[in-house]
Amino acid sequence: TMQSSGHRFRDVEHHPLLDNDTFDSSSSSSPSEADMAERVWFIRDGCGMVCAIMTWLLVVYADFVVTFVMLLPSKDFWYSVINGVLFNCLAVLALSSHLRTMLTDPGAVPKGNATKEYMDNLQLKPGEVIYKCPKCCSIKPERAHHCSICKRCIRKMDHHCPWVNNCVGEKNQRFFVLFTMYIALISAHALVLCGFQFFSCVRGQWTECSDFSPPVTVILMIFLCLEGFLFLTFTAVMFGTQIHSICNDETEIERLKSEKPTWERRLRWEGMKSVFGGQPSLLWINPFAGFRIRRLLLRGKKGGPEFSV
């Protein structure tokens, strides 16, 4: 039986073929879907692309002020080296996490797979019910929601974030959590460095504590403090919200809609291992884990970037 409703009844019995693994493009029987799996994921949304570019520019601005206004003019060599290396490493990790969140398929359900041929292959038993999304004409697995910006149903969709120009879902939530964590860390680090810089400049000569003129130095540092405070507040709250959702095995959409779980919730630690992969290790905080340059090059040769979804 096919329902055209975009909502899921709580007493639905989902067919085994509608589990999450069914919708992995690598296991799909459709050649076009398999071809899509070999392409780079990217959302062509004007607002999202502007926000993503702004994110990078703000991080680059913070790195410029920290490096050229505060650290390089410092007379303490080891203070400059240690803080410079730490801040730039955190910035690289933050931007890498941002890229992987933006360019990773969040768990999109193949568009237009609700065909008669596909339905026949499911071999449904009498009384079994599955759901078709009327917006993207796809069979919706359990806990999937339709994103009006991505124009796709996303498995375990948490929310659509314009700052990463992508949905946060089953396959890229880990990178989004790392992005919020590293942005919060570099924001806190920048605020601490600004505090030390103001203190040293007030105690000494303003003309000696920076290679820039005192008014320019003050303006640059005040703007960095405002940026750091805003980003620290936003990303720290978002990081805490994401960890809470993972531990409760509940997405933000499910929480806002007060949906009663029809699935068996994972224990808190099992939820963390499911999102971050395997037992706790340094790989959990490494945004490069699982990244293969050779695979990315092969994708480019096979079909080019998938710019529309």
Side-chain angles (χ1 to χ4, degrees):
T1 303
M2 176 74 73
Q3 300 284 347
S4 60
S5 171
H7 303 282
R8 181 178 297 105
F9 294 106
R10 291 190 175 91
D11 57 350
V12 170
E13 179 183 359
H14 288 272
H15 194 270
L17 289 178
L18 298 181
D19 291 339
N20 289 342
D21 294 340
T22 302
F23 292 91
D24 287 339
S25 300
S26 58
S27 62
S28 174
S29 59
S30 170
S32 60
E33 292 170 11
D35 181 62
M36 283 180 60
E38 299 298 329
R39 300 188 180 188
V40 176
W41 178 272
F42 184 77
I43 303 300
R44 288 196 298 184
D45 174 58
C47 176
M49 288 188 285
V50 170
C51 289
I53 293 173
M54 284 181 58
T55 302
W56 276 67
L57 291 178
L58 288 171
V59 173
V60 170
Y61 169 81
D63 188 66
F64 168 79
V65 176
V66 168
T67 303
F68 293 97
V69 177
M70 292 189 284
L71 296 182
L72 287 182
S74 175
K75 297 179 181 179
D76 190 333
F77 175 77
W78 289 111
Y79 172 83
S80 299
V81 170
I82 293 174
N83 283 286
V85 171
L86 177 60
F87 188 89
N88 281 277
C89 286
L90 291 175
V92 168
L93 290 170
L95 295 179
S96 300
S97 302
H98 182 273
L99 271 181
R100 295 213 67 181
T101 307
M102 182 170 61
L103 301 179
T104 299
D105 179 351
V109 178
K111 189 186 295 185
N113 67 346
T115 62
K116 186 178 183 303
E117 293 76 15
Y118 194 86
M119 292 291 297
D120 293 338
N121 290 333
L122 293 178
Q123 299 178 347
L124 296 173
K125 298 177 182 179
E128 285 187 300
V129 180
I130 59 176
Y131 287 92
K132 171 185 175 183
C133 176
K135 298 176 181 178
C136 60
C137 196
S138 63
I139 298 177
K140 290 181 71 172
E142 188 177 24
R143 304 185 71 182
H145 292 85
H146 185 87
C147 175
S148 59
I149 299 176
C150 294
K151 298 180 175 61
R152 296 284 283 275
C153 285
I154 308 296
R155 296 198 304 269
K156 289 184 67 175
M157 175 181 170
D158 189 85
H159 68 286
H160 184 96
C161 178
W163 295 104
V164 297
N165 189 33
N166 200 2
C167 275
V168 177
E170 184 178 76
K171 293 185 177 181
N172 68 346
Q173 187 176 25
R174 168 176 170 259
F175 303 123
F176 181 75
V177 172
L178 293 181
F179 168 67
T180 57
M181 182 183 74
Y182 286 124
I183 289 294
L185 288 176
I186 64 172
S187 298
H189 192 193
L191 288 174
V192 171
L193 290 177
C194 281
F196 277 115
Q197 187 72 11
F198 274 118
F199 182 73
S200 62
C201 288
V202 169
R203 288 187 59 185
Q205 295 293 327
W206 276 91
T207 54
E208 297 179 0
C209 71
S210 175
D211 293 336
F212 295 84
S213 64
V216 173
T217 301
V218 171
I219 292 173
L220 291 174
M221 291 176 60
I222 287 177
F223 187 79
L224 178 60
C225 286
L226 292 175
E227 176 192 343
F229 178 77
L230 291 175
F231 269 75
L232 175 60
T233 304
F234 174 77
T235 54
V237 170
M238 184 60 69
F239 175 79
T241 302
Q242 288 293 302
I243 295 298
H244 181 267
S245 297
I246 293 171
C247 290
N248 289 338
D249 194 13
E250 181 182 49
T251 66
E252 188 66 16
I253 291 179
E254 292 164 351
R255 187 186 67 80
L256 292 175
K257 290 185 175 181
S258 299
E259 294 184 5
K260 293 183 179 179
T262 58
W263 61 94
E264 184 179 353
R265 283 186 170 179
R266 297 186 179 96
L267 298 175
R268 292 187 176 184
W269 198 242
E270 292 300 320
M272 292 290 288
K273 290 194 291 185
S274 173
V275 171
F276 289 93
Q279 295 297 325
S281 69
L282 290 177
L283 294 178
W284 277 25
I285 59 174
N286 180 13
F288 300 102
F291 180 72
R292 298 291 183 271
I293 297 179
R294 183 179 178 184
R295 184 189 304 171
L296 186 63
L297 294 175
L298 288 175
R299 286 180 179 181
K301 291 179 181 179
K302 283 188 177 183
E306 176 66 20
F307 282 121
S308 59
V309 296

